[in-house]
Amino acid sequence: METMFGDLTNQEGEKIDSAYSPPADPQDPRIVVLGHGVTGNKDRPLLVAVADALRAHGLATLRISFAGNGESHGRFEDCTVTKETSDLSSVLDALGDRPIAYVGHSMGAAVGVLCAAANPRIRVLVSLAGMVHTAQFAEREFGAEIPGSGSMWDDPSCPLSAAFMEDMRKAGSVLPFGARVSVPWLLVHGADDDVVPIADSEDIAPTAGGPHRFVRVPGADHSFTGQLEIVSTEVADWITNRLN
């Protein structure tokens, strides 16, 4: 959809679907961008709940679907952590010179680490069930599938591509980039996450190059089912107090 920033597109010219909500104070330049994980989109309940909490604090929000996902243009088969990092950079460019926070879930969190490590536009970072060891994830979840004929989690609408697997293996892990994240960084992870183990966040949190907070949510799964209010409150409080 078109936002106040015009149509959002990536470097390939593919339109990025988004949902924008303005700030309570029209003069408030702050904005929070929210990105999803593998096979997700901007309308996943977790992102919607977090955006609602941020809006209750008066902040503008922009939920995006990376190219090839949801209503965004592009092919799902071309989705990689490298391309989504480029997508996010294009979105940040479109937002101009304003205080920006980024909230990423799962692979969207890995994208956030890569982007925040190199892009000064992100002033506050939040990782929700953040994927860190990308190669391990790809092998653990999809190693038994054949790229080009298999699918992700038996969903035929999400074909597994060689491009995805190769990029995940090449990326290896975003762990080395943690030290380059010098902005305030909140990491939230469910103790019962069976998609991205909490060990990923435990590995990267101590490497943070700036102020950070690591929140373990007992009993929570990968999507924080039944605990969205807890997560949303943590995120909204963290960003509101630090995005200036």
Side-chain angles (χ1 to χ4, degrees):
M1 65 176 292
E2 184 174 353
T3 69
M4 65 172 291
F5 312 103
D7 284 336
L8 298 174
T9 60
N10 62 13
Q11 292 185 1
E12 288 75 21
E14 297 163 336
K15 289 187 179 180
I16 304 296
D17 183 41
S18 63
Y20 171 72
S21 178
D25 177 0
Q27 302 304 313
D28 187 347
R30 298 175 299 170
I31 188 168
V32 184
V33 180
L34 300 95
H36 58 84
V38 178
T39 75
N41 57 65
K42 67 178 177 57
D43 297 319
R44 285 296 171 91
L46 175 60
L47 296 192
V48 172
V50 171
D52 287 345
L54 290 163
R55 285 195 294 272
H57 282 64
L59 292 170
T61 62
L62 182 72
R63 306 191 324 269
I64 63 172
S65 293
F66 293 110
N69 293 270
E71 298 301 317
S72 291
H73 293 186
R75 300 192 322 145
F76 181 83
E77 293 91 332
D78 296 332
C79 298
T80 65
V81 69
T82 298
K83 186 179 180 186
E84 291 186 1
T85 301
S86 177
D87 286 354
L88 178 56
S89 293
S90 294
V91 170
L92 298 180
D93 287 344
L95 298 183
D97 185 18
R98 65 181 65 232
I100 300 171
Y102 174 73
V103 179
H105 176 234
S106 192
M107 193 169 87
V111 167
V113 171
L114 292 172
C115 211
N119 196 320
R121 287 185 176 86
I122 295 179
R123 300 191 191 178
V124 179
L125 179 65
V126 176
S127 297
L128 303 178
M131 184 189 300
V132 173
H133 305 301
T134 55
Q136 291 180 13
F137 170 85
E139 184 60 30
R140 183 175 62 247
E141 296 296 324
F142 310 126
E145 298 290 338
I146 300 174
S149 60
S151 58
M152 295 182 174
W153 296 306
D154 299 320
D155 185 348
S157 68
C158 300
L160 180 67
S161 69
F164 173 86
M165 294 297 288
E166 290 169 5
D167 191 74
M168 295 291 269
R169 290 165 178 156
K170 182 178 179 180
S173 174
V174 301
L175 187 63
F177 294 88
R180 304 182 199 176
V181 178
S182 59
V183 299
W185 184 8
L186 173 66
L187 304 96
V188 184
H189 215 121
D192 291 350
D193 191 334
D194 63 355
V195 178
V196 175
I198 194 171
D200 276 35
S201 289
E202 292 172 340
D203 286 347
I204 202 170
T207 75
H212 68 283
R213 171 174 163 78
F214 179 24
V215 178
R216 298 170 177 82
V217 184
D221 62 14
H222 188 58
S223 298
F224 301 97
T225 305
Q227 306 203 45
L228 296 182
E229 184 175 354
I230 293 173
V231 175
S232 298
T233 298
E234 285 280 356
V235 174
D237 289 347
W238 177 266
I239 291 178
T240 302
N241 292 330
R242 290 163 179 82
L243 184 61
N244 299 304

